[in-house]
């Protein structure tokens, strides 16, 4: 496809802007690891929160949502909507604790909470496993998504697509390696604004086109149940045509809503927080900013972002019925190509590049933090100066780019990587939650919970030949049983380590033996109030998501019902939080 001069000008201006912002923060990233990886622990809540949203808005995300909607209707989004439960659990039960810990990475937490060789092994192993292997897989699938966009837009062969991706990665490496997290976070804010604006413009043009005929025309061209937010059993047209694709099995829905959000480790949605989400919480000015950043992230992530993608995805089902199930995700890019005029084509390409860069810059910075802080500085060169570690971080960022590009050439299916990551972490989540609230969890609990999913996954896939959700349930059950056994057959963490942890973090929950050893009185528990606030916030965010949807689809009676539920649940959340002074400094 040919781009006009104005499109290339838009793309060039964007590239110069992002590089300029990133390079301008180089000085502030130098000096210490905290400056480089945490922005000097001085981010405001709205910058940290927007950075979280931008990072999870990758080039593959609109394509993935398009594929989900094409196969399962709006209810297919429960594959990721379910993660709100875990995200808000992090907000109310963990955001303050992560900031209070005063560490650089969430892996550093391991040797704060545990001790001995098992803890050292776990920290070093996860630094390499997550920082290199898992991180490169994530960047690889984002690269493949960008290549799909380039392929549809420019009709170039795969080898040339890889060259364009490499150029984009080099730009990301330049500004992210020089400016550290501060530059990454500031550019995230700009990139997210561009990306979401571009998607809104695309949705407006596609839905308003003659082929669709506005919201009324879209509703007329799709079976009514396909617009429901919850999965349906059966259809109203005999199970053929469009309706045949717009279904989600009850088993899959239950797996998503009742198990996955707490049981499965997934990047950006780690139970209890972790990865780059924990990094953003730890980079804020104080605990209050960490809390507000995480709450803002959940609301923007689930309520603001999805609807432009869903509207384009539903339109693509109507516009491109000839696409196979494997190619349904390309409907989003084809809509960009077919409905955008000159200038806006460049804007939407910039939107996708912005989404791509925000994700990759975070992944590179986060991965480098694990490799340097939790492996190199901990096990290889313990006497390195802060400046040496910052320089090593910049080199590591470049090397991660090279490794990720190599892995990109081997990835053929984005959904295959998604499924592998989801099931390879199934069952680990509960340990990541309980390690803050139960003194008996030890390093072996986490080691076993990290390894066991691979055993169960291999058995269910290659011996039983099970598919999701049955394979997922088996993996969660096996892993949970394995880590519980490991917890009780291995020694508890030494009392001195637990005492130091308890005094620094002041966690709620099952810490009675530790509290007694410190001769401290029993504190007033806040768990019940936090549970009520958490559940109220879950209802508030889902209701907000749904009332925005009903406003768009002109279902005004349901709009007012969901709006009322959202306001009521918000009132309960605020009232409960005030009783325990949760939002106070």
């Amino acid at each position: 496809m040919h781009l006009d001069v104005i499109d290339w000008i838009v793309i060039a201006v964007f590239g110069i802007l992002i590089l300029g912002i990133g390079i301008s923060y180089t000085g502030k990233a130098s000096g210490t690891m905290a400056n480089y990886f945490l922005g000097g622990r001085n981010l405001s809540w709205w910058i940290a929160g927007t950075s979280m949203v931008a990072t999870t808005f990758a080039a593959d995300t609109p394509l993935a949502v398009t594929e989900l909607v094409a196969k399962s209707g709006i209810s297919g989004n429960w594959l990721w909507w379910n993660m709100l439960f875990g995200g808000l659990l992090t907000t109310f039960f963990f955001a303050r604790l992560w900031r209070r810990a005063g560490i650089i990475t969430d892996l550093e937490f391991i040797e704060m909470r545990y001790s001995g060789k098992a803890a050292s092994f776990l920290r070093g192993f996860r630094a390499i496993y997550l920082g290199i292997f898992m991180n490169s897989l994530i960047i690889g699938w984002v690269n493949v998504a960008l290549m799909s966009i380039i392929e549809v837009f420019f009709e170039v062969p795969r080898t040339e697509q890889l060259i364009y991706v490499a150029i984009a990665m080099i730009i990301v490496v330049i500004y992210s390696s020089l400016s550290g997290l501060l530059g990454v976070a500031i550019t995230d804010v700009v990139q997210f604004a561009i990306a979401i604006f571009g998607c809104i413009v695309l949705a407006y043009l596609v839905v308003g086109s003659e082929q669709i005929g506005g919201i009324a025309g879209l509703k007329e061209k799709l079976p009514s149940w396909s617009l429901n937010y919850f999965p349906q059993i059966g259809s109203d047209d005999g199970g053929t045509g469009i309706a045949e694709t717009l279904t989600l099995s009850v088993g899959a829905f239950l797996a998503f809503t009742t198990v996955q959000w707490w049981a499965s480790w997934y990047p950006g949605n780690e139970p209890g927080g972790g990865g780059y989400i924990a990094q953003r919480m730890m980079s804020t000015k104080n605990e209050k900013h960490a809390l507000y950043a995480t709450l803002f992230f959940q609301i923007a992530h689930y309520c603001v972002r999805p609807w432009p993608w869903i509207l384009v995805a539903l339109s693509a089902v109507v516009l491109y019925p000839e696409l196979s199930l494997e190619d349904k995700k390309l409907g989003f890019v084809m809509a960009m190509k077919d409905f955008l005029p000159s200038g806006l084509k460049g804007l939407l390409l910039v939107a996708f590049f912005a989404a791509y860069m925000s994700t990759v810059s975070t992944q590179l910075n986060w991965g480098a933090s694990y490799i340097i802080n939790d492996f190199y500085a901990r096990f290889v060169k313990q006497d390195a100066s802060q400046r040496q570690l910052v320089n090593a971080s910049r080199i590591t960022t470049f090397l991660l780019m090279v490794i990720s590009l190599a892995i990109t050439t081997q990835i053929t299916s984005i959904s295959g990587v998604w499924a592998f990551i989801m099931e390879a972490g199934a069952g680990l989540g509960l340990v990541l939650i309980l390690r803050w609230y139960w003194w008996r969890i030890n390093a072996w609990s986490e080691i076993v919970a990290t390894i066991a999913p691979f055993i169960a996954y291999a058995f269910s896939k290659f011996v039983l030949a099970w598919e999701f959700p049955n394979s997922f349930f088996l993996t969660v059950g096996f892993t949970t049983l394995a880590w519980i056994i490991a917890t009780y057959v291995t020694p508890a963490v030494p009392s001195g380590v637990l005492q130091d942890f308890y005094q620094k973090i002041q966690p709620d929950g099952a810490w009675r033996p530790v509290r007694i050893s410190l001769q401290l009185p029993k504190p007033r528990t806040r768990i019940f109030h936090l549970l009520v606030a958490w559940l109220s916030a879950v209802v508030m965010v889902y209701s907000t998501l749904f009332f925005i949807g009903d406003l768009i689809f002109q279902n005004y009676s349901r709009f007012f019902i969901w709006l009322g539920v959202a306001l009521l649940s918000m009132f309960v959340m605020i009232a409960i939080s005030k009783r325990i002074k949760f939002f106070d400094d």
Side-chain angles (χ1 to χ4, degrees):
M1 185 198 72
H2 175 71
L3 291 181
D4 291 335
V5 174
I6 189 173
D7 295 309
W8 287 112
I9 291 174
V10 170
I11 294 171
V13 169
F14 168 74
I16 295 170
L17 174 66
I18 295 303
L19 277 175
I21 293 173
I23 293 172
S24 68
Y25 285 95
T26 301
K28 293 184 179 181
S30 304
T32 67
M33 295 271 279
N35 286 341
Y36 191 80
F37 289 122
L38 295 179
R41 303 186 196 273
N42 197 38
L43 294 188
S44 297
W45 65 268
W46 63 273
I47 294 177
T50 304
S51 182
M52 295 180 195
V53 185
T55 298
T56 54
F57 183 172
D60 67 303
T61 317
L63 274 63
V65 169
T66 301
E67 184 175 2
L68 290 173
V69 170
K71 292 181 178 179
S72 306
I74 291 178
S75 68
N77 286 285
W78 282 102
L79 175 66
W80 65 280
W81 282 354
N82 79 87
M83 296 176 185
L84 172 66
F85 287 94
L88 284 172
L89 190 78
T90 297
T91 301
F92 286 93
F93 286 87
F94 299 98
R96 284 186 174 275
L97 303 185
W98 278 116
R99 183 60 182 87
R100 193 176 302 164
I103 51 183
I104 292 178
T105 67
D106 59 310
L107 296 189
E108 190 175 336
F109 172 86
I110 292 171
E111 289 193 295
M112 172 189 288
R113 174 62 175 80
Y114 314 130
S115 67
K117 293 181 179 179
S120 298
F121 166 78
L122 179 62
R123 182 180 179 183
F125 169 76
R126 288 179 70 83
I128 299 301
Y129 169 65
L130 296 177
I132 298 179
F133 174 70
M134 196 64 72
N135 193 30
S136 298
L137 271 181
I138 295 167
I139 295 174
W141 98 47
V142 176
N143 283 345
V144 170
L146 185 62
M147 290 168 66
S148 299
I149 296 167
I150 293 172
E151 179 182 17
V152 174
F153 244 85
F154 298 106
E155 300 175 358
V156 297
R158 185 175 175 84
T159 52
E160 288 187 35
Q161 297 166 26
L162 195 61
I163 293 173
Y164 293 136
V165 168
I167 293 172
M169 285 201 78
I170 289 171
I171 294 174
V172 174
V173 166
I174 290 172
Y175 77 78
S176 63
S177 64
L178 291 176
S179 64
L181 180 70
L182 182 58
V184 169
I186 298 300
T187 54
D188 278 348
V189 173
V190 176
Q191 289 163 343
F192 175 70
I194 294 172
I196 195 65
F197 175 74
C199 289
I200 291 172
V201 170
L202 177 64
Y204 176 80
L205 292 175
V206 174
V207 174
S209 66
E210 291 184 8
Q211 294 93 320
I212 298 298
I215 293 296
L218 181 63
K219 292 168 67 175
E220 181 182 331
K221 293 175 176 63
L222 293 168
S224 59
W225 56 264
S226 69
L227 304 178
N228 289 348
Y229 307 140
F230 301 96
Q232 300 292 301
I233 301 175
S235 66
D236 57 8
D237 74 343
T240 60
I242 290 175
E244 186 177 20
T245 67
L246 298 174
T247 57
L248 178 70
S249 74
V250 174
F253 177 73
L254 291 176
F256 298 152
T257 55
T258 63
V259 179
Q260 181 187 319
W261 63 269
W262 60 263
S264 192
W265 180 94
Y266 192 81
N269 289 283
E270 300 87 346
Y276 56 79
I277 299 300
Q279 184 189 38
R280 297 307 190 275
M281 290 186 279
M282 295 184 291
S283 69
T284 55
K285 294 180 178 180
N286 52 43
E287 292 179 24
K288 184 177 180 179
H289 279 264
L291 170 63
Y292 278 20
T294 316
L295 181 59
F296 172 78
F297 165 51
Q298 307 305 327
I299 295 172
H301 181 64
Y302 293 99
C303 300
V304 176
R305 294 191 327 175
W307 287 114
W309 305 337
I310 291 172
L311 287 171
V312 175
L314 288 169
S315 300
V317 171
V318 176
L319 293 168
Y320 311 110
E322 73 280 1
L323 290 175
S324 66
L325 281 179
E326 292 74 21
D327 291 333
K328 289 291 186 184
K329 63 180 180 292
L330 298 180
F332 195 99
V333 188
M334 293 174 68
M336 291 169 54
K337 184 178 179 180
D338 293 342
F339 290 93
L340 293 175
S342 296
L344 288 182
K345 281 188 173 70
L347 175 66
L348 259 293
L349 276 176
V350 162
F352 269 91
F353 274 108
Y356 169 83
M357 289 179 173
S358 64
T359 299
V360 172
S361 61
T362 286
Q363 294 295 149
L364 291 172
N365 184 269
W366 166 61
S369 73
Y370 281 5
I371 296 166
I372 299 301
N373 186 68
D374 301 298
F375 188 81
Y376 181 75
R378 173 64 182 84
F379 300 104
V380 179
K381 194 172 179 58
Q382 297 180 344
D383 60 346
S385 68
Q386 289 291 305
R387 183 168 295 278
Q388 287 175 323
L389 293 175
V390 169
N391 290 334
S393 300
R394 288 173 169 146
I395 295 171
T396 301
T397 302
F398 174 78
L399 293 177
L400 280 174
M401 180 201 75
V402 175
I403 295 170
S404 300
L405 278 174
I407 290 180
T408 301
T409 63
Q410 305 303 311
I411 295 177
T412 57
S413 170
I414 295 176
S415 59
V417 177
W418 271 32
F420 169 75
I421 291 178
M422 190 180 300
E423 297 206 49
L428 171 62
L430 195 55
V431 174
L432 302 181
I433 292 172
L434 290 178
R435 63 185 182 174
W436 295 87
Y437 286 90
W438 184 26
W439 70 276
R440 193 60 181 81
I441 295 290
N442 61 31
W444 286 108
S445 310
E446 199 165 328
I447 290 171
V448 170
T450 300
I451 297 172
F454 290 96
I455 299 172
Y457 177 80
F459 182 76
S460 64
K461 292 293 184 182
F462 303 117
V463 177
L464 300 178
W466 284 5
E467 297 295 331
F468 186 91
N470 293 335
S471 60
F472 178 75
F473 288 136
L474 173 67
T475 302
V476 170
F478 174 79
T479 302
T480 302
L481 180 63
W483 74 253
I484 289 175
I485 293 173
T487 299
Y488 282 106
V489 300
T490 54
V493 176
S495 178
V497 176
L498 292 176
Q499 288 175 350
D500 290 343
F501 178 80
Y502 185 84
Q503 289 179 305
K504 183 176 182 62
I505 303 299
Q506 303 170 31
D508 215 325
W511 289 89
R512 184 171 181 271
V514 180
R515 193 177 65 252
I516 291 174
S517 69
L518 289 168
Q519 299 181 337
L520 294 174
K522 182 179 180 180
R524 180 185 176 186
T525 181
R526 302 196 305 173
I527 287 183
F528 174 76
H529 293 87
L530 290 176
L531 281 171
V532 175
W534 165 58
L535 292 174
S536 300
V538 169
V539 174
M540 178 190 73
V541 176
Y542 278 135
S543 299
T544 303
L545 169 68
F546 299 151
F547 85 62
I548 292 174
D550 282 325
L551 181 63
I552 291 170
F553 288 110
Q554 301 168 4
N555 300 318
Y556 297 118
S557 59
R558 290 196 324 194
F559 160 76
F560 285 110
I561 292 173
W562 285 121
L563 176 61
V565 173
L567 292 173
L568 179 61
S569 54
M570 181 178 68
F571 173 79
V572 173
M573 179 194 73
I574 294 173
I576 291 293
S577 299
K578 282 185 176 179
R579 290 190 63 179
I580 57 175
K581 300 179 180 179
F582 186 63
F583 289 110
D584 293 350
D585 291 328

